[in-house]
Amino acid sequence: MKIVVVKGSPHRKGSSNLLAEQFIKGAREAGHSIVELDAAHMDIHPCLGCEHCGMNGPCAQRDDVPQIRDALLGADMAVFVTPVYYFGMSAQLKMVIDRFYSYTMKLSAKHLKTALIAAAWDSNEDVMPYLVQHYQKLCRYMNFTDCGMILGTGCGSPSMTKNSRHMEEAYRLGKSL
Ligand SMILES: Cc1cc2nc3c(=O)[nH]c(=O)nc-3n(C[C@H](O)[C@H](O)[C@H](O)COP(=O)(O)O)c2cc1C
């Protein structure tokens, strides 16, 4: 499979990207090809809601979104990687998703496989459900098939993350594909 990993953390070497690295290691070992897109360090603007695209046409904005769009439209699987910010995904990743607007129909017609990788400081059970619900609804709306979620609770810093069981979980998810 061609797998596109969309990273949404401002920390290049942060916790969510550490988990993504493990996922990628496993997926490469399983023979898949990986494209990594560090959306948090690309030039991506928020959707203006201007309706120029009519949900299925050219976007009025000029930035790096076409690179993400073309990668996703050529992929078999997308992996969304994010720190947990106030119980949801980062704004950096949300901008990528809001900008699906101009190619929602094309993207949902692809029936992509997807996965979610998230890192949060807290380790209690009330951290992830809100992000998970959003992701699951997005999957239903976009015809994505979820292949797994790495919900990195207690992953508040790279050292916490390296010592967590989620590293192995992420590796195993990649390897299992
Ligand atoms: C703006 C902001 C909001 C955050 N909100 C939460 C939160 O709601 N719950 C939580 O457990 N951690 C929260 N955190 C902590 C981060 O999720 C945590 O440090 C994570 O490891 C960062 O991942 P990264 O290194 O991949 O960026 C927040 C951090 C920031 C900067």
Side-chain angles (χ1 to χ4, degrees):
M1 283 196 294
K2 186 169 174 189
I3 304 175
V4 173
V5 178
V6 185
K7 301 190 286 192
S9 171
H11 303 127
R12 284 191 168 90
K13 303 223 173 289
S15 298
S16 56
N17 285 343
L18 272 175
L19 297 173
E21 234 174 65
Q22 289 302 302
F23 170 90
I24 289 167
K25 184 170 180 270
R28 285 209 170 108
E29 284 177 16
H32 302 292
S33 73
I34 309 287
V35 174
E36 288 181 67
L37 294 172
D38 188 356
H41 296 94
M42 293 169 77
D43 179 30
I44 298 174
H45 308 162
C47 177
L48 297 172
C50 66
E51 301 293 345
H52 180 83
C53 67
M55 277 189 95
N56 190 28
C59 178
Q61 304 219 50
R62 295 287 165 265
D63 59 12
D64 291 340
V65 162
Q67 199 185 326
I68 296 180
R69 178 198 62 205
D70 293 350
L72 290 174
L73 293 177
D76 304 296
M77 179 170 184
V79 182
F80 302 112
V81 181
T82 183
V84 170
Y85 280 179
Y86 294 96
F87 310 103
M89 67 182 70
S90 68
Q92 289 87 338
L93 181 61
K94 185 60 164 54
M95 278 199 289
V96 171
I97 287 169
D98 289 351
R99 295 288 297 281
F100 286 173
Y101 202 66
S102 69
Y103 60 106
T104 281
M105 288 174 213
K106 291 189 187 93
L107 190 59
S108 55
K110 293 256 332 158
H111 291 264
L112 282 185
K113 294 184 166 72
T114 58
L116 174 69
I117 296 177
W121 184 282
D122 291 336
S123 49
N124 65 61
E125 284 175 8
D126 200 32
V127 182
M128 293 291 182
Y130 313 95
L131 172 64
V132 167
Q133 265 218 329
H134 184 188
Y135 166 69
Q136 288 174 330
K137 178 65 194 174
L138 190 67
C139 288
R140 289 193 293 278
Y141 181 71
M142 295 297 297
N143 294 325
F144 295 157
T145 301
D146 171 52
C147 294
M149 295 178 240
I150 302 303
L151 304 176
T153 48
C155 290
S157 67
S159 59
M160 287 162 78
T161 305
K162 278 180 195 154
N163 289 314
S164 78
R165 66 187 161 82
H166 303 295
M167 295 286 276
E168 177 66 18
E169 267 175 26
Y171 170 74
R172 273 193 277 111
L173 177 59
K175 184 98 180 175
S176 72
L177 295 168

